[in-house]
Amino acid sequence: MTRTLPTAFVPAPYIPADAPFTPEQRVWLGGFLSGLTAKLKAEEDSGPTRPPVSVLHGSQTGNAEGLANDLAGALKAQGVPVSLKSLGDVAVDEVPAMGRVLVICSTYGEGEMPDSAELFWDGFREEAMPRLEGLQFAVLALGDTGYDDYCQAGKDIDTRFEQLGARRLIDRVDCDVDYDDPAAAWIAEALAVLADLDGAAATAAAAGSVTEAPAKKKSKWSRKNPYRSVLAVSRLLSGAGSAKDIRHYEFALDDPDLTYAAGDSLGVVPTNDPALVGALIEHFGVEPEHDVAGRLLYEVLACDVEIVTPSKDLLNEFARRAPDSDLARGVHSPDKAAFDRWLWGQDVLELLEDGPQIALEEFLPLLRPLQHRSYSISSSPLAAPGRVALTIASVRYKRGRRARGGVCSTFLADRLAPGDTAGIFVAPNNSFRPPADGDTPMIMVGPGTGIAPFRAFLQERLATGARGRNWLFFGDQHRAHDFLYEDELIQMGENGLLDRLDLAFSRDQADKIYVQTRMREHGAELFSWLAEGAHFYVCGDATHMAKDVDAALHEIVARHGGMEPDDAADYIATMRREKRYVRDVY
Ligand SMILES: Cc1cc2nc3c(=O)[nH]c(=O)nc-3n(C[C@H](O)[C@H](O)[C@H](O)COP(=O)(O)OP(=O)(O)OC[C@H]3O[C@@H](n4cnc5c(N)ncnc54)[C@H](O)[C@@H]3O)c2cc1C
Ligand SMILES: NC(=O)c1ccc[n+]([C@@H]2O[C@H](COP(=O)([O-])OP(=O)(O)OC[C@H]3O[C@@H](n4cnc5c(N)ncnc54)[C@H](OP(=O)(O)O)[C@@H]3O)[C@@H](O)[C@H]2O)c1
Ligand SMILES: Cc1cc2nc3c(=O)[nH]c(=O)nc-3n(C[C@H](O)[C@H](O)[C@H](O)COP(=O)(O)O)c2cc1C
């Protein structure tokens, strides 16, 4: 076999004569070692290393994490030693020694930290947090102007660093859903400022090249460049008598660059309902082919903008134009919850029909860009190679005379048939994984579509032959119609994969029974699993279910662990720190 030898431009290192190499290996090794020596020497000659930087991210669906990877890669390319970490892996007492910290963090819930950053934030905001004079920092905040508390998590972290006496390297930038350009500009500025401080050349920064030498290999398929995948399966899971329309979908994965792990989410890029697009065009009394900056109006409304949920800009503009309307009173009311209730279910067309006059050209710029939707993946790649499964509740409701639907869930249910294609991409969720040790017990709480990742976890455990015990809490409205994946789950019980399956059908009796009812009923056993090191997972509704399950968990640990509430809270905080209590809630 012939090899290309590295050019020897420093003396060849000595290889002892009795070293066990063939003459050919000896020549190759000599060249290789020369190259290595030259490289080390060049690095030594390039002067002192620059001060290290900690790049920290708080992320749930991977946007902030992806940007942090880019930033870390660009810093490394400039010769800066980088420590790249999730905020979930940072103990607050490590922060004072970090020197330089760049944080990229998204916002969840109602202006809250992403789950992975909550524990960090609990410590960071404590009064006992040491002062950070001498530390330099900068924050990039990701969010969505559709929410009231825009980029609140990033804002809170930024303010707290300042309160603690740290020095801001560059101003915080708040990014809306189209974050690529402002994020790239923030990264470029951070790189340039750091290079300037160190008296180093800022060439990579000036070029805005933030993806050089990425810390992790990135898939080429992304939000901006989704993979066109064929829908292979679309199957109704909920029964004929159900109030819900929950479906199982499978997309084909035919590209080697599109891989996933159990626990990840899938981004799906929808198009809008043609009937709603048509109704909007009719409202404005123009032709579907009306020109909008070189595109057809029909295409813009179908593919480019959100036409179901009204944007804040649209609400504010309508409030400005009709100051005496209910809408204007709601927009200006301090009672945001009451306004949200009033607005709930009203779509853009309804606001147009009931609202003030507005010309098409003024209206279009007020709409937000059409976004992908995230879905927890409900298959394991080990069990279903070449496929990725989703479990999705179609958002459907009636208001006035029109039946209405959520953009993406009805795009999949009503407008995409097997054989059709849609844009998809994988959003890694590295903090939501089955236990690395197959012997570790696992407790999963996933009512409704929250079952999705746990189907994936169980498939994964079956495929890997993991022997750890598995306990699933599942529930929905009625056993007869809403027992999602009933056959599979019963079979998993029969074949011994599922050690416990506790069911909570909320509407099969006069009083509601929820998953947390079952947790409490079996509290002693649940605590004994936790005491043996079980991981505790929750997926599904964030607004009510996840909070109530968390409260039940605290009660169970206090009662069955014989602890005071504060000690139970510490016990659970430790579980979170050890990544034994993780959630995928939305
Ligand atoms: C990480 C993550 C994972 C997720 N995983 C899953 C999953 O596995 N399965 C799943 O089904 N979903 C999941 N979701 C939710 C999913 O992303 C979408 O939010 C959901 O499918 C709705 O999107 P849509 O486009 O159909 O509706 P949208 O177009 O976003 O419309 C929603 C709007 O409809 C209105 N609305 C909804 N319901 C009603 C009602 N009953 N009455 C009146 N108005 C109403 C509201 O105004 C609401 O803003 C997940 C979300 C995240 C962030
Ligand atoms: N962001 C979005 O636009 C969007 C869109 C779709 C879904 N979602 C979220 O995704 C969740 C999943 O929807 P889904 O239809 O699969 O299931 P779901 O609505 O969460 O219902 C599943 C089961 O949970 C029960 N439940 C209700 N409140 C609960 C509580 N506080 N604690 C524990 N269980 C509770 C329900 O009972 P009852 O119904 O009998 O009370 C039902 O039996 C939704 O709740 C919703 O928040 C969000
Ligand atoms: C359930 C949910 C709640 C959210 N809440 C907020 C919010 O309160 N404020 C905000 O600015 N953005 C909010 N966002 C938007 C996210 O912060 C935004 O999509 C961000 O890019 C996600 O980044 P990540 O993938 O790194 O988690 C929310 C998103 C979801 C899915």
Side-chain angles (χ1 to χ4, degrees), residues 85-110:
K85 279 187 174 180
S86 159
L87 284 167
D89 294 328
V90 178
V92 284
D93 51 14
E94 290 173 52
V95 179
M98 282 181 176
R100 290 176 174 178
V101 183
L102 301 176
V103 182
I104 305 183
C105 190
S106 62
T107 294
Y108 275 84
E110 288 158 14

Side-chain angles (χ1 to χ4, degrees), residues 490-553:
I490 298 291
Q491 160 117 52
M492 286 174 181
E494 283 169 3
N495 69 17
L497 178 67
L498 206 45
D499 295 83
R500 286 204 65 136
L501 172 62
D502 281 282
L503 299 166
F505 292 102
S506 51
R507 303 190 190 190
D508 275 347
Q509 59 287 308
D511 293 327
K512 292 266 173 153
I513 292 179
Y514 286 155
V515 280
Q516 62 271 26
T517 321
R518 300 297 187 217
M519 285 168 57
R520 286 193 178 93
E521 283 170 8
H522 304 290
E525 188 169 359
L526 198 153
F527 182 74
S528 77
W529 280 50
L530 295 181
E532 284 169 41
H535 287 210
F536 187 83
Y537 300 91
V538 184
C539 179
D541 171 44
T543 318
H544 303 292
M545 183 276 295
K547 292 193 166 96
D548 294 349
V549 164
D550 183 71
L553 182 66

Side-chain angles (χ1 to χ4, degrees), residues 58-65 105-112 114 142-145 147-152 176-177 179 542 585-586:
S59 189
Q60 185 162 320
T61 54
N63 296 341
E65 186 175 354
C105 190
S106 62
T107 294
Y108 275 84
E110 288 158 14
E112 291 148 39
L142 297 196
D144 179 340
T145 46
Y147 291 89
D148 283 333
D149 302 298
Y150 177 53
C151 287
Q152 194 58 47
D176 202 352
V177 288
Y179 58 79
V585 296
Y586 42 89

